Amino acid sequence: DKEQSRVYLEAAKEMGFGLKIHADEIEAIGGSVLAGEMKAKSAEHLIVIDDAGMKSLAEGGTTAMCLPATSFYLGATFAPVRRMIDEYEIPVAIASDFNPGSCPSLNLQFVMNLGYLKYRMTPEEILTAVTINPACAINRGDKVGTLEVGKQGDLVIWDAPNMEMLCYRFGSNLALQTIKKGNLV
């Protein structure tokens, strides 16, 4: 529960760990509120986050790490990402949550499609949610997440005329090339 989690997170913080919280996936039991109170770097899932949780994430500077492919696979509701962005200005990241129990897909393009279709994110918000926001949520925003001098040089070249097409087309692999640390892979 929330108070047991607080004890664990306080101990982790005292040992120098950054905080991340798996929160409010099945029930809103206060995990997102705790994430904001403890100024966690991110809170994951947030499928059933409530207004108190969104307010706390915003006040705590916590990134909302939303996992739409989990909602898709489980037939669950989708996190209220549009409200997080519009009403609370919470930084949102999206990812696959690849795991055998609730999301057996590692397809980031599908995650982007779901962000567009189910979260109602704009293509620009989706690009931010799969690049710089998750990089910042793991304390790597100074090294990856954008194309800037001095950063690692990771990028995907897409076979799409624009971001709208990339977000619109689902079920097709539109990745032409991947570059990691400046090298074609």
Side-chain angles (χ1 to χ4, degrees):
D1 67 12
K2 181 180 172 185
E3 291 315 311
Q4 290 172 327
S5 297
R6 182 185 307 278
V7 170
Y8 177 81
L9 292 167
E10 285 174 349
K13 192 172 190 175
E14 286 176 22
M15 291 190 287
F17 287 97
L19 303 181
K20 296 180 157 305
I21 300 175
H22 183 288
D24 301 343
E25 179 181 8
I26 309 298
E27 293 180 50
I29 61 171
S32 54
V33 172
L34 181 60
E37 289 172 0
M38 304 268 323
K39 300 195 181 322
K41 288 299 284 183
S42 66
E44 284 69 34
H45 284 286
L46 307 172
I47 292 173
V48 294
I49 190 172
D50 58 17
D51 287 315
M54 287 186 267
K55 183 175 187 282
S56 186
L57 292 184
E59 290 172 353
T62 302
T63 296
M65 176 57 76
C66 297
L67 309 163
T70 300
S71 293
F72 175 83
Y73 188 75
L74 296 177
T77 188
F78 286 82
V81 169
R82 188 77 262 149
R83 288 191 61 218
M84 290 181 199
I85 294 169
D86 292 343
E87 296 176 33
Y88 294 93
E89 299 180 356
I90 297 168
V92 172
I94 59 176
S96 72
D97 190 34
F98 177 61
N99 74 72
S102 61
C103 186
S105 174
L106 48 71
N107 187 323
L108 185 60
Q109 188 178 334
F110 181 60
V111 167
M112 293 165 67
N113 300 138
L114 288 172
Y116 184 69
L117 295 169
K118 297 299 186 177
Y119 291 160
R120 296 306 202 199
M121 298 173 78
T122 67
E124 295 79 13
E125 289 167 340
I126 291 167
L127 182 61
T128 300
V130 297
T131 57
I132 191 62
N133 283 359
C136 290
I138 59 169
N139 294 321
R140 305 238 331 129
D142 60 332
K143 295 177 179 49
V144 297
T146 57
L147 295 176
E148 296 179 67
V149 173
K151 287 197 173 180
Q152 191 165 290
D154 298 339
L155 66 133
V156 175
I157 299 173
W158 301 99
D159 184 15
N162 52 46
M163 273 297 295
E164 288 80 9
M165 182 59 74
L166 182 61
C167 295
Y168 169 74
R169 286 275 302 273
F170 70 93
S172 302
N173 181 359
L174 299 179
L176 275 179
Q177 295 179 318
T178 302
I179 298 170
K180 184 73 174 165
K181 295 183 181 179
N183 298 304
L184 188 63
V185 293

